[in-house]
Every structure is written in structure tokens, then in C-alpha cells.
Amino acid sequence: MIQAETLELLEWPRLCQHLATFAATKLGVAAALDLEIPATQAQTAELKAQTQEAYQLESRAGGALSFEGIQDIGTSLQRAELQGLLSGEELLAIATTLAGARQLRRVIDSQADVPTLKELASQLRTYPELEQEIHRCIDDRAQVADRATPKLAGIRVQMRQLRDRIYQILQGILQRQSNAVQEQLITQRSGRFVIPVKAPQKDAIPGIVHDSSASGATLYVEPHSTVNLNNQMRQLLRQEQAEEEAVRRALTEQVAAVKPDLDRLVVVVTTLDLAAAKARYSYWLQANPPKFIELGEPELAPKNPEKEDEEKEDEENSENSQLLIRNLRSQITLRQLRHPLLVWQQQHEQGFPVVPVDLTIGPHIRVVAITGPNTGGKTVTLKTLGLAALMAKAGMFVAAREPVELPWFDNILADIGDEQSLQQSLSTFSGHIRRISRILEVLQNKSQAEGEENSNLPITNSQQQEEEVTDTQNSVSPLPILKPKLQIPTPQIPITNSQLSIPKSLVLLDEVGAGTDPSEGSALAIALLQYLAQHSLLTVATTHFGELKALKYQDSRFENASVEFDDNSMQPTYRLLWGIPGRSNALTIAKRLGLLASIVDEAQTYVGGASQDVNQVIAGLEAQRRKQETKAREATQLLHQTEKLHREVSQKAAALQERERELKIAQEVAVNEAIGSAKSEIAQIIRRLQSGNQTAQNAQQATDTLNQISEKHLPSRQQPAKPKPSFMPKVGDRIRIPSLGQTAEVLSGPDANEELSVRFGIMKMSVKLGEIESLDGQKPETKAQLAKVAAQAQALATAKAKQAAAEPAKPNPEIAIRTANNSIDLRGARVSDAEIEIDRALSKAVEYGVLWIIHGKGTGQLRRGVHEFLANHPQVSRFELASQKEGGAGVTVVYLK
């Protein structure tokens, strides 16, 4: 089968082996090694959702899935269903698997945003009663425990007592006949207790000989005195075995009764382990989830200019002259795509660094022809693309940079490598043709199957519109040829099977048309690629034929790509260049691989001039492309720097706005505090007037106090601070002398008498410090001014001291006193009951302004509940723990609004 052959060609089994190393159970390892490719896109979507959610859990702290205790119990379940008898090890494995599955379900249920995994975990039935029964009957050594049944416990008690009697008798014989025994040892032969006796002295200990040593020097004898006891021991042993078998039989029947659910448990656990393995593998590979591109609406394919005249002659059938094709809605994007097997080889096998490739294929492109030198990476590119498509179908992440966008291919078919076989009489060319024939057979079968489904599909009205198509096929003119407009005449035109039956297949062809005459091989390759352009969604082919490089300029569905070759180092760089055909560089590669230089030089003389000219043009295009890529990288770096600078400026602007907001809030708080303080002081004055004798003197004092409060809190009443004179002339400064109306230059600073020398014009003179000013009008600070300011401050301080002495002593502010009316004891109460009592107490304590709550210390649970309730209560202004003398951490003081 070509699909299975393609998997082998792309080394899919090797990738599955790498994936299996990330599985946690034997079930997961087996599933990874035999990883199947889904047949429908819906199955792929389900698998991708599982991988994405498992990836999320692996990225969270403590959220990774644990599969501890889960074992492969499939064989045991089958034997239980067939009424077989399970061993203790198998029963114990079933119990630990049930416990592990329950823990796994608990972890998944505790996580958010994992609906797919929760749906899987909901199908797990773990039967805790069965697990408990197994652990009750089977101990950690996988043996049936004494507690399994009372009968078994009684049998084992008898066996221990009987064994002690046998040991006691045999120990006595060993002591009495120490010369006759080989060593002081009691052992068993055929389930009976015996002692080793020297062969020459066997008559010293009468009994039954059950065995002898290899040399014959030792006989294992069962003394006659223990024969009956050994017989009883054998009977008890058979009874014990029968009872153990009965216990295991009962447990096996319980397992068989729930086998369907346990089978489902095994499937679900395997699915979860496989999803976790894919997630871990993707994390290690630094891969990203793929996004599948859907097909768009059917569109008219471009006409062939050579057939345009024939179509004009038969206009009535013009609607059938073009095929309706469905292009992708967006381009295929696989940037920095890496081959996963090469990444593994680099990490674990000390391989070479992996060079990523960029695959960006337009939605209308059906065939990509990759050219370039041998050993340049063309085949690796094919395999990388093929593995990426397979990994995406299997629900795995793709080793490429985001975004990862590609179609869901229903078939991935490849012809890579040499199928030459002497046994089957296959040459290189015939091997390729036979494999390609099998690929075409799959495409034809798929087309027929899809054609039957689409046989009655009509064209929608949105497709009945005029189209203007340009093409340059077979034209020497550099200008495009304008095609005539095509009108689809009728609103409902049935589409034939061949028009919409293009399968969504990916075809990978290595060295297409090789192995035969170049002219015939290239002709066959052109015909094959044109056929695949119509019958597959995407075909990627490697070639050395120059004729295939020209298909891009004849058919818009074709595209060229090439692997880069460094002319300086004369080696390939393994980078993929798009839009430019590559040079084979066969002679250069041959020389680098060690072929005689004389042969290479001789071959160079046979290369045609036209071929050299074409290679020079291609080399020039490659150089120009490298320059453009360098400029693009520099522009990208500049853009990143600009974006970084923009983010920093935005962050600073946001910080400044936040700082401004905080300052405004702080100012509002300060204003509110000032208003509250002023109101409190005014209220005290009013209470003092109301409580005392209302004399004129008291009224005047109250008025003065109110004026002081207004001067203290009202900004309009506050005197702005006068700017301090800070000007002091220095040598070289320009000053103004107001009395003379002149501007002068300072020649020397002020002396002890506050005089300084100045010059204006040709005149020099001495002036007092108080007679000058700066050019902006500032006066210097003289000793007289300093003395005057000091005297004013002293006088103001004296006046305030006299006024304070004359005023009567102010009463102390009200002190909150703890009484029985503003205290509540909640010790021993529940938090819910305490909240009700606190709410009642707060309503009664409004007139006191403060409430003492006694909640005790204890575990602190009641205190935390009380504090949480108080923090959200509208009547509470603030609360704090009482001082040590009032109860400390066991009492909370609440201040009311």
C-alpha cells in the first residue's frame, strides 16, 4: 500500500520511537509506537485539542498529568472475561491502576480551560469498592492476606502451630544426633520438612529419604516421628491453596463483571498518556500548534492561450472550456521549519546543527519545483514538509515558528529514494514509475469517490461574475495579454465530477523524471506535474531539468524554489530560496567530493555557453535576493528597536499619569482631612460655649479660635512665603545701581563693612551692599535685614507665648471607656453566629463610638472571620487589636464612623 510505503520513506516509525520516549506508561509507549494517522479532519481536531490542553497543563506549576500506578491490565481483563483465574500480581496491578486513574481524574477536574480532557476524564469509572476489596484480600507482596476470609486465617494458624511442633521435634533430633547430621539445618524436599544426614550414618536417624546431594554424601531424611505431622501439614497446605484460589476467583469474577468499564478506562488512560507525550515532545521540540487552512469557493481556472481561438469558434460550449477549481483561503505558512529527526540527532546523537527552511506557498499554487545542487537539501526539504503534514494530522505540534498554517491533507504520498531491485528486475526509472503509478491510482480512486458526492452540486450566484485573466504563456512581449471577459450565462450549471473532485492530497516527488533520457524524462515530468496540478492539492517535486524551471512562466499554478549555494565557500547553505530556479552546480560538487580536477576542467569545456549564461543570470538573481534579505533583516531590526522604544515611552507616560493620579488622590485626602480636623475643632468650640457661661469674653475667644482655624486650614487665608533674598554679588558679575541708574561690573566682593568695588565705564567707586541689585531685580541679603528678620521672629514667638499663657487650659479630648454596654464576648461561637451578634452590637454601640469584641486567641479562625466581617461593614471606620493590658490578640477594638 502506497500510504504505508510513504510512512516508511518519510521515516515516520522513527519519529514514533522518539515520541514513545516521552510516554509515562507501557500503554502510552505502545500507542506511540503504533501511532495511527486519523482518517478525518474531525478526528485530527479532537487529537489536537487534547495535545493543546495537555501542553497547557505541562506548562502550569503542579498541573502536569501524573500516571503513577497505572499499568497495562488489558491481558488480565481478557483472561478474567474468559473465566480464567487472575494471580495476586494481576489483581494488585488492577487495584493500583484504578487508584492511579482516580488521581489522574482528580488532577484534570481541578484544572480550568481543559474541556476536552475533562470530557475524557468523565468517562473514567474507577470502582473504589473493587480497589478496596482487592487491597483487603491481597497484601503488598501480591499474596492472599489472612484477613481475606476467617477460614483462611484459621488454616494458617493451624499451619503455624503445626510447623512449630515439627521444628521442635527436628531441632531435638539435630541436637541429639549432631554427629550424624551434615549441618544444623532444617529444610524442605517435596513440601516436607527434612534434615541433612551423612550417608554413612543414615541408620542413626531412621526415616524416609527424600533426596540426596549431588555427591551422594548427604541424604535428606524425614524422621519417622514427623511423618504424620508432615502429612497433616500437606493437608493444611492444600486447604490453604484451595481457599486462596477461592478468594482470587471471587475477585476475578468481580473484575470480569466490570470489564467493559475497565476496558474503557484503559483506552482513556492510554489516550491521556499519548496526549501528554505529544505535549512533552512538542515542548522539547519547541513546536507550535498548526492551524488548518480550508478550501475557498470554486473559481474558474485560467485559460490556455493556445486554445483561445478554438473556444471562440464554439461559444455555446464556452462554459465547459474552463474547470472550476477550489483554492486555499490563505497561503501555506511554515517559517523556520525544522526536521524533527535531525533535531533529535543534533540533541542526542551529536549531529550537525539543523538549518530551518521557510515554506510560504500561495493559495493558488499547486506545484512547487525545487532545484539546486546535489547534497543541497532538496530531499530533506521534501521529508520535512511530509513529516510536518503527518504530525499535524496526528494532532501533534509542528517544529516551526508561529503561525503554522497548512491544509489538512487527506493523503500524503511520496516517491523518495531509489526503488531499484535486482530480484524484481526493477531499474531506477522503472522503480520510480511503478511507485508513481500507485500514487496516481490513489488519486483517481479519491477523485471518483469525491466526484460522486459532488455530482449534483450547483454553481452559486456568487460565482456567476465576470473575470479578467492575464497570462504570458508563449508570448515574447513583456506586456501581459488581456483575456476577453467570460460570462457564465445560466444561474444553475451542474458541475461535472471531474471539476470539484480534486482530492486534498500532498504529493512529494524526488528527482521526478530521472533515470532515463533527459529529453524524454523532462517531457514525462512536465506531463506528470501538469496532471498533478489538476488532481492534487499540492505537489512538491525536486528536479535538475531546466524545462521544469520554465513551467512557472507558463502556468500560474507553478512556483520555483531552489536551495542556496555559496559561491565563496563552494558549499550549499541548505537554505530555501523562493521564486528563483537553482543551479545544479554538478561540476563544483563533483570537485568538492574529490573527483580529479583535470576531469572537472575537461567537463567544463563541454558545457554549453547558453547554460553558462543562464547560470550567471541565476547567480545574479541570488546575489540580488541576498542583498534584499539583508536589507529586510536590517529593517526588521530597526522596526523592533522602534517598537521597543515606543513601548518604553508608553510605559513612562503611563507611569507619569499614574503618578499624577496618585498625587491628586493624596491632595484630596489631605483636603478632606483638613476639613474634618477643622470641623472637629469648631465642634469643640461650640460645645464649650454651650456648656459654659455665654459671656462676651467667651464669645470673643471663640471668634479668635475660629479665625486661627481658618488661617490654619484655608489656603486663601494663608500668607504666601516671601522669597528669601539670595543674591550675593561676586567678582565679574554685572549689577545695577538704582541710585545712579547705572549698570556696573563687580571688581571685588563685599568686605566687613558690606562695601564692594565696582566699575562702570572708566570710573571705579565703592558702594554699599544695600545700594545695589541684580539685573533681574533681586536684592542682596544684608546684615541689617537678617537682624530685622530675627527680631520679628523673636517678637512673634513672645506674643504667642503670652497668648498661650493667657488662654485657659483646654480640656483633654474625650477618652473611650470600656463598659459592659460597648463590649461583646464571642468566645466559643461559630463565625456565622458571631457575625450576627457583631451586627447587633454595632447598632447598639453607635452612641459610644467604639466597640470591644472579645474573641479569644485559640486557632485564630474566629479572629480572622471577625476581621473579614468588619472590613466590609459600612459602620466600621477602622479596627485594631487591643493593647496587651486589654487582652492583646484576643480582643479587637472597633471604631465606628
Side-chain angles (χ1 to χ4, degrees):
M1 190 176 181
I2 188 62
Q3 288 89 342
E5 190 175 352
T6 297
L7 296 181
E8 292 292 337
L9 293 174
L10 296 177
E11 299 181 88
W12 176 254
R14 186 177 165 204
L15 185 141
C16 293
Q17 292 176 2
H18 297 169
L19 174 64
T21 61
F22 292 88
T25 66
K26 292 183 178 179
L27 295 168
V29 171
L33 291 175
D34 193 24
L35 187 62
E36 296 182 356
I37 307 298
T40 64
Q41 190 169 351
Q43 295 174 347
T44 296
E46 178 74 13
L47 294 176
K48 189 179 80 167
Q50 295 172 7
T51 305
Q52 285 181 305
E53 293 178 8
Y55 190 91
Q56 294 176 12
L57 296 183
E58 291 292 330
S59 304
R60 297 175 185 172
L65 298 179
S66 173
F67 297 87
E68 184 178 359
I70 296 177
Q71 303 181 39
D72 186 2
I73 60 175
T75 305
S76 301
L77 296 179
Q78 291 178 359
R79 188 158 65 254
E81 186 182 28
L82 297 175
Q83 299 181 353
L85 183 63
L86 299 183
S87 64
E89 289 83 358
E90 291 174 316
L91 291 169
L92 199 60
I94 292 174
T96 57
T97 300
L98 292 174
R102 187 181 307 108
Q103 177 63 23
L104 183 62
R105 184 179 61 189
R106 188 177 296 114
V107 171
I108 294 175
D109 289 340
S110 65
Q111 300 295 326
D113 303 328
V114 286
T116 306
L117 297 186
K118 285 186 177 181
E119 176 66 23
L120 280 173
S122 65
Q123 304 175 26
L124 293 173
R125 296 194 60 185
T126 56
Y127 292 99
E129 65 280 359
L130 176 59
E131 175 195 345
Q132 293 174 4
E133 182 65 13
I134 292 176
H135 282 301
R136 187 185 70 82
C137 297
I138 308 297
D139 58 21
D140 295 338
R141 298 172 301 151
Q143 302 295 324
V144 179
D146 295 350
R147 58 181 178 271
T149 62
K151 182 178 179 180
L152 179 62
I155 293 173
R156 289 182 174 175
V157 169
Q158 297 179 34
M159 291 177 66
R160 283 192 291 271
Q161 293 174 352
L162 191 58
R163 186 182 297 108
D164 292 342
R165 290 178 57 189
I166 294 174
Y167 265 74
Q168 184 178 4
I169 294 174
L170 294 179
Q171 286 290 352
I173 296 175
L174 289 175
Q175 292 176 3
R176 291 193 304 270
Q177 303 291 340
S178 58
N179 295 329
V181 296
Q182 193 74 28
E183 56 180 323
Q184 297 289 325
L185 174 67
I186 299 175
T187 183
Q188 283 186 324
R189 288 294 185 274
S190 302
R192 306 180 72 88
F193 292 96
V194 296
I195 56 178
V197 179
K198 298 177 181 178
Q201 301 182 13
K202 63 178 180 178
D203 295 334
I205 303 176
I208 302 173
V209 177
H210 288 278
D211 196 6
S212 63
S213 63
S215 61
T218 304
L219 301 178
Y220 294 95
V221 178
E222 177 187 7
H224 290 305
S225 57
T226 61
V227 170
N228 291 333
L229 295 178
N230 272 322
N231 291 339
Q232 296 177 24
M233 179 65 72
R234 292 297 299 270
Q235 293 176 0
L236 290 175
L237 183 61
R238 283 193 292 270
Q239 294 177 15
E240 179 192 32
Q241 293 174 348
E243 190 63 22
E244 288 179 351
E245 184 175 330
V247 171
R248 290 189 285 115
R249 174 71 64 186
L251 294 176
T252 302
E253 292 175 353
Q254 295 183 38
V255 171
V258 295
K259 178 184 179 295
D261 291 334
L262 297 184
D263 283 337
R264 183 59 187 167
L265 180 143
V266 171
V267 172
V268 171
V269 168
T270 303
T271 303
L272 292 173
D273 189 16
L274 186 58
K278 292 177 182 178
R280 298 187 189 107
Y281 183 55
S282 301
Y283 186 83
W284 173 84
L285 201 56
Q286 297 181 358
N288 289 295
K291 176 184 177 183
F292 292 112
I293 308 171
E294 299 296 334
L295 290 175
E297 295 297 330
E299 299 178 359
L300 289 174
K303 290 182 180 179
N304 189 335
E306 296 179 353
K307 298 181 180 180
E308 192 170 324
D309 295 335
E310 299 177 3
E311 294 173 1
K312 288 181 180 180
E313 296 176 358
D314 192 7
E315 293 183 357
E316 59 182 11
N317 296 325
S318 62
E319 64 272 10
N320 296 325
S321 62
Q322 290 179 309
L323 291 180
L324 285 167
I325 62 174
R326 299 178 65 185
N327 292 327
L328 297 174
R329 295 185 183 274
S330 60
Q331 68 177 8
I332 299 175
T333 304
L334 295 170
R335 293 189 176 92
Q336 300 295 302
L337 179 63
R338 292 165 291 133
H339 195 297
L341 301 184
L342 294 182
V343 175
W344 182 278
Q345 185 176 344
Q346 177 190 359
Q347 297 289 335
H348 295 279
E349 302 173 9
Q350 298 180 352
F352 295 101
V354 180
V355 179
V357 296
D358 292 334
L359 295 176
T360 307
I361 305 174
H364 64 285
I365 299 299
R366 294 302 177 95
V367 178
V368 176
I370 302 179
T371 54
N374 295 303
T375 69
K378 299 189 299 297
T379 304
V380 173
T381 301
L382 290 184
K383 290 187 175 182
T384 304
L385 176 58
L387 279 179
L390 287 173
M391 293 172 70
K393 283 191 68 174
M396 303 169 66
F397 290 4
V398 178
R401 192 183 69 189
E402 286 189 310
V404 179
E405 299 178 344
L406 73 166
W408 187 90
F409 297 104
D410 54 7
N411 279 309
I412 301 171
L413 309 169
D415 173 32
I416 300 175
D418 192 355
E419 203 183 6
Q420 184 178 14
S421 173
L422 296 178
Q423 294 179 350
Q424 301 179 12
S425 300
L426 291 178
S427 65
T428 299
F429 177 74
S430 57
H432 281 296
I433 293 301
R434 289 189 60 176
R435 190 180 288 161
I436 291 174
S437 298
R438 294 194 294 270
I439 292 175
L440 298 181
E441 182 179 355
V442 172
L443 296 180
Q444 289 175 352
N445 295 337
K446 191 69 176 178
S447 298
Q448 293 174 1
E450 294 187 359
E452 293 175 359
E453 298 177 1
N454 300 324
S455 58
N456 299 321
L457 183 65
I459 299 180
T460 61
N461 291 335
S462 61
Q463 296 163 356
Q464 301 172 20
Q465 56 185 354
E466 297 180 354
E467 287 193 10
E468 206 170 77
V469 185
T470 61
D471 199 350
T472 56
Q473 182 178 2
N474 299 331
S475 175
V476 246
S477 172
L479 298 176
I481 301 174
L482 189 62
K483 291 293 185 99
K485 295 181 179 179
L486 177 65
Q487 177 70 31
I488 300 178
T490 57
Q492 295 287 336
I493 300 176
I495 302 174
T496 62
N497 291 352
S498 62
Q499 288 176 318
L500 277 180
S501 58
I502 299 176
K504 296 166 60 177
S505 300
L506 172 65
V507 180
L508 306 173
L509 302 177
D510 189 23
E511 300 294 348
V512 58
T516 186
D517 179 78
S519 60
E520 294 183 357
S522 62
L524 181 61
I526 291 173
L528 175 62
L529 294 182
Q530 288 179 342
Y531 177 87
L532 291 175
Q534 189 60 44
H535 292 83
S536 68
L537 184 59
L538 179 63
T539 301
V540 182
T542 65
T543 182
H544 289 284
F545 293 137
E547 292 82 357
L548 270 63
K549 305 174 185 178
L551 287 176
K552 170 187 176 179
Y553 310 103
Q554 301 172 2
D555 193 332
S556 60
R557 298 174 299 174
F558 285 72
E559 179 59 278
N560 281 335
S562 61
V563 287
E564 188 181 32
F565 188 82
D566 190 350
D567 292 327
N568 296 325
S569 62
M570 305 304 290
Q571 291 184 352
T573 63
Y574 306 105
R575 292 178 63 243
L576 197 62
L577 305 178
W578 288 89
I580 301 177
R583 296 169 290 159
S584 295
N585 292 296
L587 300 182
T588 304
I589 298 296
K591 187 174 183 180
R592 183 172 65 86
L593 294 178
L595 190 63
L596 291 176
S598 59
I599 297 177
V600 175
D601 295 338
E602 181 69 18
Q604 190 70 42
T605 61
Y606 298 118
V607 177
S611 175
Q612 292 182 353
D613 294 341
V614 171
N615 286 337
Q616 290 177 1
V617 171
I618 294 176
L621 291 174
E622 291 177 352
Q624 185 177 4
R625 184 188 183 100
R626 283 193 291 269
K627 291 180 181 178
Q628 295 297 331
E629 289 178 349
T630 302
K631 292 181 179 179
R633 283 195 299 269
E634 294 175 353
T636 302
Q637 293 177 358
L638 183 60
L639 178 60
H640 289 165
Q641 294 175 358
T642 305
E643 292 175 348
K644 180 180 178 181
L645 180 61
H646 179 266
R647 286 194 300 268
E648 293 177 354
V649 172
S650 300
Q651 291 174 357
K652 290 181 179 179
L656 289 175
Q657 292 177 356
E658 181 66 19
R659 177 60 179 165
E660 182 180 359
R661 189 181 67 84
E662 292 176 354
L663 289 176
K664 288 182 179 179
I665 294 175
Q667 291 174 355
E668 292 177 0
V669 171
V671 170
N672 291 332
E673 290 179 352
I675 292 174
S677 177
K679 287 181 178 179
S680 176
E681 294 179 8
I682 293 172
Q684 291 179 5
I685 294 172
I686 293 174
R687 285 197 297 270
R688 190 167 64 247
L689 285 174
Q690 291 174 347
S691 61
N693 296 327
Q694 299 178 2
T695 62
Q697 182 179 2
N698 291 338
Q700 182 62 37
Q701 291 179 354
T703 302
D704 294 341
T705 305
L706 289 175
N707 291 334
Q708 294 176 3
I709 292 172
S710 64
E711 291 177 357
K712 176 180 179 183
H713 295 288
L714 293 179
S716 61
R717 302 288 296 274
Q718 296 178 0
Q719 296 294 333
K722 294 182 179 180
K724 294 182 180 180
S726 57
F727 171 67
M728 182 59 63
K730 293 179 290 188
V731 176
D733 289 349
R734 301 288 295 177
I735 61 170
R736 182 182 294 109
I737 306 175
S739 59
L740 300 178
Q742 295 289 334
T743 300
E745 179 185 358
V746 178
L747 299 179
S748 63
D751 55 13
N753 297 324
E754 295 188 340
E755 292 185 353
L756 65 159
S757 299
V758 299
R759 178 178 62 189
F760 53 92
I762 59 173
M763 297 183 59
K764 294 182 181 180
M765 60 181 300
S766 297
V767 296
K768 290 288 188 180
L769 188 61
E771 298 177 355
I772 66 172
E773 63 181 17
S774 65
L775 296 180
D776 57 359
Q778 294 185 20
K779 293 288 186 180
E781 192 175 32
T782 62
K783 293 180 180 179
Q785 289 175 337
L786 292 175
K788 182 178 180 181
V789 170
Q792 290 176 349
Q794 182 65 28
L796 182 61
T798 303
K800 287 185 177 180
K802 290 181 179 180
Q803 183 178 0
E807 290 181 355
K810 296 182 180 180
N812 292 330
E814 296 181 2
I815 301 175
I817 300 175
R818 177 176 173 182
T819 64
N821 295 328
N822 60 358
S823 299
I824 179 174
D825 191 348
L826 300 176
R827 286 176 291 185
R830 296 178 179 271
V831 175
S832 57
D833 298 332
E835 292 177 353
I836 299 174
E837 296 296 330
I838 293 173
D839 192 60
R840 294 175 181 171
L842 289 173
S843 301
K844 296 178 181 180
V846 173
E847 58 182 331
Y848 301 98
V850 64
L851 175 66
W852 275 266
I853 300 177
I854 306 171
H855 44 65
K857 298 179 180 179
T859 61
Q861 184 68 28
L862 180 59
R863 181 180 70 250
R864 288 192 294 271
V866 168
H867 286 183
E868 291 176 359
F869 178 76
L870 294 174
N872 299 317
H873 201 283
Q875 291 181 255
V876 176
S877 172
R878 62 186 178 89
F879 60 89
E880 60 186 14
L881 293 176
S883 60
Q884 290 298 328
K885 64 180 181 180
E886 291 184 342
V891 179
T892 296
V893 184
V894 185
Y895 298 91
L896 306 183
K897 294 182 179 178

